[in-house]
Amino acid sequence: FVNSVASSTDSYMVGDAGSDGLCGFNSQSGLIDAQISTHTGRVNYVEFNPAQTLIATAADDGTVRIYGLKAE
């Protein structure tokens, strides 16, 4: 179940948030680059920062988490 989808400003990365955590996809290959499930509740929101260096999530557990993105 997907609650939120966001893409980086260059559309290279796509993130989806749902009941199983956060998944980061490479939009060109379609492969999963990252799968994160550090929240204890369903993830409701995902967003990239404008510089594409961070991704933020918000979840039912009342937390917001910010993850650094690896530079290619």
Side-chain angles (χ1 to χ4, degrees):
F1 182 64
V2 176
N3 296 319
S4 177
V5 175
S7 68
S8 58
T9 55
D10 65 359
S11 298
Y12 183 76
M13 284 287 298
V14 175
D16 79 48
S19 56
D20 58 348
L22 166 71
C23 281
F25 295 90
N26 176 316
S27 64
Q28 303 201 347
S29 70
L31 299 175
I32 297 174
D33 284 342
Q35 192 164 7
I36 304 167
S37 55
T38 59
H39 290 284
T40 58
R42 181 179 61 204
V43 181
N44 296 310
Y45 186 76
V46 59
E47 188 63 56
F48 289 86
N49 73 325
Q52 304 172 134
T53 56
L54 303 169
I55 190 166
T57 58
D60 279 350
D61 62 10
T63 62
V64 172
R65 301 205 190 275
I66 299 173
Y67 306 95
L69 298 174
K70 182 177 139 183
E72 294 292 324

